[in-house]
Amino acid sequence: MSRFPIILFLLSLGLTSYSQKITPFKTWNAGILAKANSARSIDGLSFQEKKVIFYINLVRMNGKLFVDTYLKDYMEDVRIPKNKYYRSLINTLKQQDPLPPLIPQEDLIKESIKHAKEMGRTGKKGHRSANQKSFDQRMKKFRLKYKKVKENNQYGYPDALSIVIDLLIDDGKESLTHRKTLLHKNLKYIGVGIRAHKKYQINTSLLLGGELITPQ
């Protein structure tokens, strides 16, 4: 997805109409909104980090309504090209069965924040740690607890809605890895970290875990 310096500057100041939109559309059921806000009481997460989880959960719980409300409103404001990735997202969300909301987990949150800090400090991208540990090496302890572990990273956007929509559209990524991760039916838990980045100004790390492994 293209980056627009002026928009990013306004976003960082909270001056655009969509960057801090917290009033829900009237078409959303109050119960759904409450369930989607699963991170509301979690200490250690910023407002935007909590909103990332909130928007992901809305998409998972009612993709079609998300298209008709938050996504439609966002696209009208930002005017991002409605290319094949955008069109395929619309088709996916309109056909998607409801999924349960993701639940924040302390260990996933800590790892997400740690990775976002390291990438920000070093100016790097990707899944390797600052000391060059691979994703598999980083996830070794998590795979003892979760049946599945996935990570999404996003660069350049400071507000939650832009972060989530960028990952969902997954522009230029034929595999649609980011989108598929957010909409994966077997992922149940989440951690998120948003931190400053040496090259991209800001970066976000999302770590998602599947079902808990039952001790034998």
Side-chain angles (χ1 to χ4, degrees):
M1 188 178 296
S2 300
R3 301 294 188 266
F4 303 95
I6 294 177
I7 290 177
L8 287 178
F9 176 71
L10 292 175
L11 281 171
S12 68
L13 298 178
L15 297 179
T16 62
S17 62
Y18 61 88
S19 65
Q20 296 290 334
K21 182 172 289 185
I22 59 175
T23 303
F25 290 88
K26 293 180 180 179
T27 46
W28 282 91
N29 176 277
I32 294 292
L33 292 171
K35 289 181 180 179
N37 199 17
S38 60
R40 63 187 175 278
S41 60
I42 303 297
D43 294 331
L45 286 178
S46 69
F47 173 80
Q48 292 296 340
E49 288 165 344
K50 291 179 180 181
K51 295 303 287 187
V52 165
I53 296 174
F54 174 72
Y55 289 128
I56 292 172
N57 283 341
L58 289 184
V59 174
R60 288 173 61 89
M61 298 170 78
N62 194 332
K64 184 178 184 301
L65 186 54
F66 187 87
V67 167
D68 294 335
T69 54
Y70 288 99
L71 182 59
K72 179 182 177 182
D73 189 72
Y74 180 88
M75 296 300 284
E76 288 176 352
D77 277 344
V78 181
R79 301 189 183 281
I80 295 169
K82 296 179 179 180
N83 58 20
K84 68 174 184 177
Y85 297 98
Y86 170 78
R87 294 192 297 272
S88 74
L89 174 62
I90 299 299
N91 292 333
T92 296
L93 294 184
K94 285 189 173 182
Q95 298 173 27
Q96 175 192 296
D97 292 330
L99 296 169
L102 299 170
I103 307 301
Q105 286 281 87
E106 184 178 2
D107 57 345
L108 299 179
I109 291 171
K110 286 182 177 179
E111 180 63 25
S112 295
I113 291 174
K114 178 184 176 183
H115 190 63
K117 283 181 176 179
E118 288 186 0
M119 295 301 97
R121 185 181 70 252
T122 60
K124 295 181 179 179
K125 293 176 65 176
H127 303 284
R128 284 189 174 272
S129 67
N131 61 357
Q132 291 302 305
K133 282 188 178 180
S134 68
F135 179 69
D136 285 341
Q137 290 172 320
R138 287 176 51 219
M139 294 301 108
K140 189 173 181 180
K141 64 179 180 180
F142 296 101
R143 291 197 169 110
L144 297 175
K145 179 178 178 180
Y146 303 97
K147 291 183 179 180
K148 188 180 295 291
V149 186
K150 298 282 187 179
E151 185 175 64
N152 277 358
N153 298 310
Q154 197 281 332
Y155 306 88
Y157 283 129
D159 73 292
L161 189 55
S162 295
I163 292 165
V164 173
I165 289 177
D166 186 51
L167 292 171
L168 286 169
I169 294 177
D170 227 358
D171 197 352
K173 199 171 185 66
E174 294 290 340
S175 64
L176 300 176
T177 303
H178 298 117
R179 181 192 305 176
K180 290 176 180 177
T181 295
L182 297 186
L183 302 177
H184 201 300
K185 65 180 181 179
N186 293 328
L187 293 173
K188 299 180 179 297
Y189 303 99
I190 188 170
V192 57
I194 303 175
R195 292 296 184 274
H197 194 281
K198 188 175 180 180
K199 182 176 180 181
Y200 298 99
Q201 285 74 57
I202 198 159
N203 79 123
T204 301
S205 179
L206 293 167
L207 191 58
L208 293 87
E211 291 184 12
L212 299 177
I213 296 174
T214 304
Q216 299 296 322

